Amino acid sequence: MKHALSVTREQDFAAWYQAVISEADMAEESGVRGSMVIRPWGYGIWERIQKLLDERIKATGHENCYFPLFIPLSYFEKEAEHVDGFAKEMAVVTHHRLIQKDGKLVPDPEAKLEEPLVVRPTSETVIGAAFSRWVQSWRDLPVLINQWANVVRWEMRTRMFLRTAEFLWQEGHTAHATVDEAMEETMKMLEVYRSFAEECVALPVVAGEKPENERFPGAVATYSIEAMMQDGKALQAGTSHFLGTTFSQAQSIKFQNAEGQQELAQTTSWGMSTRMIGGLIMVHGDDDGLRVPPRLAPYQVVVVPMLRDNDEDAAILDYCGDLVAALNKQDVFREPVRALLDKRPAKAANKRWGWVKKGAPIVIEVGGRDVAGGNVSVLRRDRLYREDGKLDSQIVAKGDFLGAATGMLEDIQQALFVDAQARLHGNIDKSITSLDALKAYFAASKKQGWALVQWAKPTGPALDKVIEWLKGEKLTLRNVPLDAEAADGACVFTGDKAVERVLVGRSY
Amino acid sequence: MKHALSVTREQDFAAWYQAVISEADMAEESGVRGSMVIRPWGYGIWERIQKLLDERIKATGHENCYFPLFIPLSYFEKEAEHVDGFAKEMAVVTHHRLIQKDGKLVPDPEAKLEEPLVVRPTSETVIGAAFSRWVQSWRDLPVLINQWANVVRWEMRTRMFLRTAEFLWQEGHTAHATVDEAMEETMKMLEVYRSFAEECVALPVVAGEKPENERFPGAVATYSIEAMMQDGKALQAGTSHFLGTTFSQAQSIKFQNAEGQQELAQTTSWGMSTRMIGGLIMVHGDDDGLRVPPRLAPYQVVVVPMLRDNDEDAAILDYCGDLVAALNKQDVFREPVRALLDKRPAKAANKRWGWVKKGAPIVIEVGGRDVAGGNVSVLRRDRLYREDGKLDSQIVAKGDFLGAATGMLEDIQQALFVDAQARLHGNIDKSITSLDALKAYFAASKKQGWALVQWAKPTGPALDKVIEWLKGEKLTLRNVPLDAEAADGACVFTGDKAVERVLVGRSY
C-alpha cells in the first residue's frame, strides 16, 4: 500500500512528524532562529483550539485581559526561584533605536535602556504586580483572569510546535483568599484541560501531580495532563500550578480579611499552548498525513468538484455549491458545520490528496456521473482504505449523505479518541517492581509506552539520585496520576515502603 | 445636572478621556514604560472588534497566519525607506540570557546575539520573506493573508489606546500579479474598514488617500479612514497601503507570469489596531462615562437585582435569572443577545452607576416591587436623562421589554451613529479659500472640526513648505476624500490651480 507521505512513522518518526507539518501546509521555518511561520491550516486549528478552550475558560468564570510583552528586570529580581528557572532562556531588549553605522544598522548606543526589559517567558510577575493594585480587601477576591499571548523562551534545540523560541498560549492567573480555594481552582482548571483535550482534541490524557523536580519555578505544586504519542513518548499538554504565596509575597498581593487582618493572597496559574498541535499530529497523524478531529478541523467537509473544462462543469459546480450550502445549514457539536467548496484550478486528484494530507475529516468528490445519478463520492479520513488496500471511496446518494453527515463527523471524532485511548491504556505497564525490569522494559523497544511504578516519593538528594538514574536511561517522571490505585508495595527506586504510583516514560 | 465622572469633556477633554478609561475599568498604566494593562471591559470590546472584523476579513477571502515577533536586522537593511521610517522607534533584542552579577540581574555578555533582533513594529519584511518562498508562478497568486498580533513602536509620548509602545492589531498582507489587482485589493480593504467602522463601531469616517508626506514608509499610496473626535480632532482609524514592488524587490517576491517571464509581485498591507478603542471613547463617551455601541458591547443588557438581604431576594434573583435567560435566547445583529445578571455583593445603585460608566447599552433594575408587578426598570445608556435632568429610568412590563429589547439595541446602535455623523458633517468647513481664513477658522475655537480645502497637490519642497506652515498652526493634512467634489478653484496654499480637495485638521 503506497502512502501519501514520503516517509512513514515506522521508518523515522521524527522525519515523519516534519513531513506531516510540511505536507499539510501547517507551518514552516521562518528564517528567524527558533521561530516558525504558522500557515493557514495550522493557524486555523489553533483558532479552533482558542475558540473552544476560551469558551470553557469563560464558562468557569474567568475574564480575558492583556498584559505587557516587556517585563522590567527588577520584577524578576523579586522572586529568586522563578528567575533561576527562566534566566537561561530570556530574550532581553536593551535598546530602543537603530542607527546606520558604516553602512550597517546597529542598536544606537545613545538609546540604551536604563533598565533592560525581558520579553515575557510567562507573566506571573507582571500580572502579580497588577493583582497587587487590584486586591485590597477580601471582597476583591477571587480575581480570575486569562490572557491569550505570545511568549518567548530561548530554547537551544527547537522543533516546530513542540519547542519554539516564540510560541502562542493562554495563561490563566488567579488570586484567592484561602489555600483551599486556590487548590480548588488549580484542580478545576486541570479538569478543564483534561476534558478539553479528550472531548475536543480527542486526546486521551493522564491527569496528575508532577514530582517536585518537575514543578514550575516558584510553584508549591504543579499538575499536568500527559498524552502518549504514537512513538510511546509522553507529551505534557497542559499544566496547572498552585503557587501558594510565592508571587503574592514577591509582588505584594495583600488583602484585608473579614477580621480586618492583612493576609497574602494565594495564587494559581495554568497554561496550554500551540504545543497541543504537535500532540495532535503525533497522536492522530498517519502515513497519509494529518487526521484532524472534526471539532478542531477548520473545514470538516471539503467538496472537490471533478472539473473537465467542458460543458458539464457548470452543472457540477452548482451541484457542489448546493451541497456545501445544505451542509453549512446543519449543526454539529452545537455549531454550524464547516464545509468548503474547493474551486481552485488544479487537478481533482491532487486536491483530494491535498485534503487527505491536511486531514480534513470528510472529503467529497463530485464528477459528472455523480451529478447525473444524484450521488456523491465520500472519503472518510479516519478509514481511508478498505481491507484490500484500496481507497475506501463510497458512492452514496446525495440526500443520504446530507442526512448522515453530522453523525459521520461525530463518529470520526469518537473513533479518533477511542483509537488513541486504546493505545494509551494498552501501553502503560503496571507490573514493574524492579529497576532491572524497568530498564529492560524501555530497552525492549523504542516504541514502548510508559510504566506506572510504585515509589516512596523521595525528596531532596534522594530524589536527585532517582532522577540521575532515570536520566542515564533517557527516562523522566511524568506525573502521579490522580486516579491511580493506592500503593501497596515497595518503591521501585529505593526499596522503601511506597506511598503512591508515578508514571515513567520518555518524553518530548 | 451632576454627572458620574469627576471631570467633563468641556472642562478638560484629555483628563476626561483618562477618566473614562479609568472609571470604566478599561485599562491602566502597567508600570512598564509605554505599555498598558487592558482590563476585562476594554479587552472585551477588543474581542468584539476582533470577531466582527475577522469575519469581514475572512469573508473577503483572507486567511489568518502567524509570523515571528522577532525580525533580524538584515531584513530591514534591504529596504532603506522602510527602515528610515521605523528605525527611531524599534525595540532591539541583543541578548538571550540573564546572569546574576553583584547581586543584580544583567544580560549575560556571553549570550550576546550575533545579529540583533527587532521586535516587529510591522511585518512587511518578515512576511515578504515568506511570500518569496510561497510565490513561484502566477498560479500561486494572489496570496491573501492576515495576522492578529502585538507590535512595538517605541513612542516617546504615550497615551492609553491612542499611542502605546506595544499595541494589538491585525495586519493584512497580500501579493498580486498586477497593479490593478493590488489596487483593487487596497481599495477593497479600505472599504472593509469604512463599513466596519460605520456599521459596527458606529463611527462615521471619511475614506481617502493620504498626501505624500503621510504615506506608510515604503508605500506607493496610503489610504485611511479618518474619524472626528468630540474635540474636533481627527483620528486615523485604519490604513490600507498599495506597496507596489517596494517589498517584493527587497524580499525578492518573484513569479513566472503566464508568458513564462519573471515579474515582481505587487503587494499591499492594511491594519487596524486597539487605537480604535480610543476613537470609540472619544466619539461616543459622555460626561457619565463610555457609551459602547451594542454590536461591540461585551454585555448588551445588564440586569441588576436590587437585593435587600431579606426573604424577597430569592424571588428577585429567580425573576432576573429568567429575564437574562430569555434575552440570551434572542438574536440581534444575527448573534445571540449578550445579557448578564450582575450578582456581585454590592449596592444596587453602585452597580447601576458602574454599568453606566462602562457604557452597557441597556441597564435593567429589578426590585421587589417590580417582581410583584411583573415589571422591570429600563435605563437606555444613549438617553440617560429626561429633559428635566432626572434619570430616565422607565418602568415597563417584563413581557413588553422582552419583546422590545432587540429593537432597542438596534435603535441605540443607530442613534450613536446618527449623532456622530451629524457632528462629523456639521463640522467640516468647505468654504475656506485663503490661508488667513484657514488660520482664523482653527484659531476661533479649539473644538473646531476640519476644513476641506482645494489644493494643487504640491510635491517635494513645495509640499514641505505647506507642511511647515501647517505645523506652525499645529495642523495636519488628513486625507483627500474619495467622495469629495472635483476641484474648481485655486490652491489655498500656493494659489496655483487646484487639482483636488484635502482635509485639514488637528490630529491625534
Side-chain angles (χ1 to χ4, degrees):
Chain A
M1 193 150 62
K2 208 179 159 313
H3 289 285
L5 296 184
S6 53
V7 55
T8 65
R9 289 162 290 178
E10 193 62 35
Q11 288 165 344
D12 183 339
F13 197 78
W16 165 84
Y17 176 75
Q18 295 296 340
V20 174
I21 291 173
S22 159
E23 296 282 307
D25 291 334
M26 298 180 76
E28 66 186 20
E29 296 294 346
S30 66
V32 182
R33 194 197 154 289
S35 299
M36 61 180 176
V37 172
I38 309 181
R39 299 190 63 178
W41 190 250
Y43 198 79
I45 293 172
W46 179 241
E47 289 183 303
R48 293 291 309 153
I49 290 175
Q50 284 190 302
K51 178 174 191 296
L52 297 177
L53 183 55
D54 194 64
E55 283 171 7
R56 287 164 189 244
I57 289 171
K58 286 181 174 149
T60 42
H62 305 86
E63 294 182 300
N64 285 339
C65 291
Y66 189 76
F67 295 87
L69 172 67
F70 295 150
I71 306 180
L73 275 196
S74 56
Y75 284 47
F76 285 94
E77 282 168 351
K78 292 177 185 162
E79 218 304 290
E81 191 183 338
H82 185 62
V83 75
D84 280 356
F86 287 106
K88 286 193 210 86
E89 48 187 40
M90 278 173 171
V92 193
V93 176
T94 54
H95 294 74
H96 63 80
R97 189 163 60 223
L98 295 174
I99 49 167
Q100 297 277 355
K101 197 180 161 189
D102 306 331
K104 283 197 76 81
L105 278 175
V106 294
D108 181 354
E110 303 284 304
K112 197 170 169 184
L113 297 177
E114 278 187 36
E115 181 179 10
L117 296 169
V118 168
V119 182
R120 65 180 160 220
T122 180
S123 302
E124 278 74 10
T125 55
V126 71
I127 294 181
F131 281 9
S132 78
R133 295 190 295 272
W134 300 353
V135 174
Q136 311 296 333
S137 140
W138 62 274
R139 286 188 193 83
D140 301 324
L141 295 170
V143 180
L144 305 173
I145 68 101
N146 177 62
Q147 119 169 320
W148 290 93
N150 53 345
V151 286
V152 171
R153 298 178 188 176
W154 202 267
E155 303 276 358
M156 280 302 148
R157 283 182 203 168
T158 61
R159 207 162 185 184
M160 280 196 272
F161 290 113
L162 297 177
R163 186 169 277 111
T164 46
E166 180 190 6
F167 58 92
L168 305 179
W169 78 347
Q170 61 65 219
E171 48 180 322
H173 296 265
T174 69
H176 307 262
T178 67
V179 171
D180 283 356
E181 282 176 36
M183 269 306 298
E184 192 188 316
E185 167 79 11
T186 307
M187 301 315 285
K188 183 196 282 176
M189 298 321 292
L190 183 70
E191 171 57 18
V192 164
Y193 287 157
R194 187 205 60 74
S195 63
F196 169 76
E198 301 202 332
E199 292 164 18
C200 299
V201 195
L203 202 74
V205 294
V206 177
E209 186 179 355
K210 286 292 207 186
E212 184 184 305
N213 65 304
E214 297 273 357
R215 272 183 208 140
F216 177 78
V220 174
T222 286
Y223 297 82
S224 72
I225 53 170
E226 305 278 334
M228 189 184 285
M229 307 296 103
Q230 290 182 67
D231 63 353
K233 286 193 192 169
L235 185 83
Q236 177 178 299
T239 48
S240 185
H241 316 290
F242 168 56
L243 304 171
T245 58
T246 304
F247 291 94
S248 57
Q249 205 136 34
Q251 307 294 338
S252 191
I253 313 172
K254 286 182 194 155
F255 67 97
Q256 194 167 49
N257 65 22
E259 287 75 45
Q261 289 140 345
Q262 286 283 317
E263 275 190 62
L264 287 170
Q266 304 285 333
T267 71
T268 83
S269 69
W270 27 275
M272 188 176 273
S273 75
T274 34
R275 193 162 215 236
M276 181 55 98
I277 297 175
L280 187 161
I281 295 168
M282 289 194 287
V283 168
H284 298 308
D286 66 17
D287 296 337
D288 292 297
L290 185 61
R291 299 188 300 173
V292 190
R295 295 192 72 168
L296 294 189
Y299 297 114
Q300 296 164 319
V301 185
V302 176
V303 178
V304 176
M306 300 168 79
L307 305 176
R308 300 197 171 178
D309 280 327
N310 66 21
D311 304 351
E312 282 184 2
D313 284 3
I316 295 176
L317 281 171
D318 274 358
Y319 187 87
C320 289
D322 290 349
L323 182 66
V324 165
L327 284 167
N328 286 338
K329 269 186 206 138
Q330 299 187 29
D331 275 4
V332 67
F333 307 114
R334 291 188 298 276
E335 291 183 273
V337 167
R338 296 180 294 282
L340 173 78
L341 172 54
D342 181 357
K343 286 197 267 192
R344 290 171 303 156
K347 277 191 193 164
N350 290 348
K351 292 203 271 185
R352 175 218 288 156
W353 282 107
W355 290 111
V356 164
K357 287 192 275 188
K358 281 186 157 73
I362 300 173
V363 179
I364 301 294
E365 288 174 296
V366 175
R369 220 182 302 170
D370 295 305
V371 174
N375 295 324
V376 296
S377 298
V378 181
L379 201 55
R380 267 180 72 149
R381 183 61 183 87
D382 63 326
R383 0 176 142 145
L384 211 49
Y385 300 101
R386 300 191 314 220
E387 282 191 8
D388 63 6
K390 293 215 171 114
L391 212 58
D392 192 9
S393 179
Q394 307 215 353
I395 295 171
V396 181
K398 182 180 165 189
D400 289 351
F401 172 69
L402 280 173
T406 63
M408 201 179 283
L409 289 169
E410 287 166 348
D411 261 13
I412 296 171
Q413 181 81 27
Q414 185 62 14
L416 290 174
F417 178 71
V418 168
D419 267 15
Q421 198 178 34
R423 196 183 317 122
L424 173 68
H425 290 167
N427 287 288
I428 302 180
D429 191 303
K430 300 180 179 178
S431 69
I432 293 170
T433 56
S434 75
L435 281 187
D436 284 349
L438 193 61
K439 191 168 174 162
Y441 173 74
F442 284 103
S445 157
K446 279 200 288 187
K447 287 197 189 148
Q448 210 68 52
W450 308 339
L452 183 68
V453 298
Q454 305 207 26
W455 80 329
K457 200 180 182 179
T459 58
L463 176 60
D464 292 345
K465 226 178 115 185
V466 170
I467 306 300
E468 184 83 357
W469 183 86
L470 288 166
K471 215 171 169 184
E473 304 297 321
K474 295 185 175 166
L475 294 172
T476 57
L477 299 173
R478 303 316 305 156
N479 69 22
V480 173
L482 296 182
D483 62 358
E485 284 172 49
D488 60 4
C491 174
V492 72
F493 301 109
T494 63
D496 297 336
K497 187 171 158 31
V499 300
E500 61 189 17
R501 292 169 200 263
V502 65
L503 276 176
V504 177
R506 297 209 164 87
S507 78
Y508 278 96
Chain B
M1 195 150 60
K2 205 177 163 311
H3 289 285
L5 296 184
S6 53
V7 54
T8 66
R9 291 162 289 178
E10 193 62 37
Q11 288 166 343
D12 183 339
F13 197 77
W16 166 84
Y17 176 75
Q18 295 296 340
V20 174
I21 291 173
S22 159
E23 295 282 306
D25 291 333
M26 299 181 76
E28 66 185 20
E29 296 294 345
S30 66
V32 182
R33 196 198 152 287
S35 299
M36 62 181 174
V37 172
I38 309 182
R39 301 190 62 177
W41 190 250
Y43 198 80
I45 293 171
W46 180 241
E47 287 183 304
R48 293 292 310 154
I49 290 175
Q50 285 191 301
K51 179 175 191 293
L52 297 176
L53 183 56
D54 194 65
E55 282 171 8
R56 287 163 188 244
I57 289 171
K58 285 180 175 149
T60 42
H62 305 86
E63 294 182 300
N64 287 338
C65 290
Y66 188 76
F67 295 87
L69 171 69
F70 295 150
I71 305 179
L73 275 195
S74 56
Y75 283 47
F76 285 94
E77 282 168 351
K78 293 175 184 162
E79 218 305 289
E81 192 181 337
H82 185 61
V83 75
D84 281 354
F86 287 105
K88 286 192 211 90
E89 50 187 43
M90 279 174 172
V92 193
V93 176
T94 54
H95 294 74
H96 63 79
R97 189 163 60 223
L98 295 174
I99 50 165
Q100 297 278 354
K101 199 181 161 189
D102 306 330
K104 283 198 75 84
L105 278 175
V106 294
D108 181 356
E110 303 285 304
K112 196 171 170 182
L113 296 176
E114 278 187 36
E115 180 178 9
L117 297 169
V118 168
V119 181
R120 65 180 160 220
T122 179
S123 301
E124 278 74 11
T125 56
V126 70
I127 294 182
F131 281 9
S132 77
R133 296 189 295 272
W134 301 352
V135 175
Q136 312 295 333
S137 142
W138 62 273
R139 285 188 194 83
D140 301 323
L141 294 169
V143 180
L144 306 172
I145 68 101
N146 176 61
Q147 119 170 320
W148 289 93
N150 52 347
V151 287
V152 171
R153 298 178 187 175
W154 202 267
E155 303 277 359
M156 279 302 147
R157 283 183 205 169
T158 61
R159 206 159 184 187
M160 281 197 272
F161 290 114
L162 296 176
R163 185 168 278 112
T164 47
E166 180 190 5
F167 58 92
L168 305 180
W169 77 346
Q170 60 67 222
E171 47 180 323
H173 296 266
T174 69
H176 308 262
T178 67
V179 170
D180 283 356
E181 284 175 37
M183 270 306 298
E184 193 187 315
E185 168 78 11
T186 306
M187 302 314 285
K188 182 196 285 176
M189 297 322 290
L190 182 71
E191 171 57 17
V192 164
Y193 287 157
R194 188 203 61 75
S195 63
F196 169 77
E198 301 201 334
E199 292 164 18
C200 299
V201 195
L203 202 74
V205 294
V206 176
E209 186 178 356
K210 286 291 206 186
E212 185 184 304
N213 65 307
E214 297 273 357
R215 273 182 207 143
F216 177 77
V220 174
T222 285
Y223 297 82
S224 71
I225 53 170
E226 305 278 335
M228 188 184 286
M229 306 297 104
Q230 289 182 64
D231 63 352
K233 286 193 190 171
L235 184 83
Q236 178 177 299
T239 47
S240 184
H241 316 289
F242 168 56
L243 304 171
T245 59
T246 304
F247 292 93
S248 58
Q249 205 136 32
Q251 307 294 338
S252 190
I253 313 172
K254 287 182 192 156
F255 67 98
Q256 194 166 50
N257 65 21
E259 288 74 44
Q261 290 142 343
Q262 287 282 316
E263 275 192 60
L264 287 171
Q266 304 285 334
T267 70
T268 84
S269 69
W270 27 276
M272 188 176 273
S273 75
T274 34
R275 190 161 218 239
M276 181 54 99
I277 298 176
L280 187 161
I281 296 168
M282 288 192 289
V283 168
H284 298 308
D286 66 16
D287 297 335
D288 292 297
L290 185 61
R291 300 188 300 173
V292 190
R295 295 192 73 166
L296 294 189
Y299 297 113
Q300 296 164 318
V301 184
V302 176
V303 178
V304 175
M306 300 168 78
L307 305 176
R308 301 200 170 173
D309 280 326
N310 64 22
D311 303 353
E312 282 184 2
D313 284 4
I316 295 176
L317 282 171
D318 274 359
Y319 187 88
C320 290
D322 290 349
L323 182 68
V324 166
L327 285 165
N328 286 337
K329 268 187 207 134
Q330 300 188 29
D331 275 5
V332 66
F333 306 114
R334 292 188 298 278
E335 289 183 273
V337 168
R338 296 180 295 282
L340 174 77
L341 171 54
D342 181 356
K343 285 197 269 191
R344 290 172 303 158
K347 275 190 194 166
N350 290 348
K351 292 204 271 185
R352 175 219 288 157
W353 281 106
W355 290 111
V356 165
K357 287 191 277 187
K358 280 186 157 73
I362 300 174
V363 179
I364 301 295
E365 288 174 296
V366 175
R369 220 182 303 171
D370 296 305
V371 174
N375 296 323
V376 296
S377 297
V378 181
L379 201 55
R380 267 179 74 150
R381 183 60 183 89
D382 63 326
R383 358 177 146 146
L384 211 49
Y385 299 100
R386 300 192 314 218
E387 285 192 6
D388 63 7
K390 294 217 171 112
L391 213 57
D392 192 10
S393 179
Q394 306 215 351
I395 294 171
V396 182
K398 183 180 165 189
D400 289 350
F401 172 68
L402 280 173
T406 63
M408 201 180 282
L409 289 169
E410 287 165 349
D411 260 12
I412 296 172
Q413 181 81 29
Q414 185 61 15
L416 290 174
F417 179 71
V418 168
D419 267 15
Q421 199 179 33
R423 195 182 317 124
L424 173 68
H425 289 168
N427 287 287
I428 301 181
D429 190 302
K430 301 180 178 178
S431 68
I432 293 171
T433 54
S434 75
L435 280 187
D436 285 346
L438 193 59
K439 192 168 171 162
Y441 173 72
F442 285 102
S445 157
K446 279 198 288 185
K447 284 193 196 152
Q448 210 69 51
W450 309 339
L452 183 67
V453 299
Q454 306 207 29
W455 81 328
K457 199 179 181 179
T459 57
L463 176 59
D464 292 343
K465 224 178 118 186
V466 170
I467 306 299
E468 184 83 356
W469 184 87
L470 288 167
K471 216 171 166 182
E473 304 296 321
K474 295 186 177 166
L475 294 172
T476 58
L477 299 173
R478 304 316 305 155
N479 69 22
V480 174
L482 296 182
D483 62 1
E485 282 172 52
D488 59 7
C491 174
V492 72
F493 302 108
T494 64
D496 296 338
K497 186 171 157 35
V499 299
E500 60 190 15
R501 294 171 198 258
V502 65
L503 276 177
V504 177
R506 298 210 162 87
S507 78
Y508 278 95

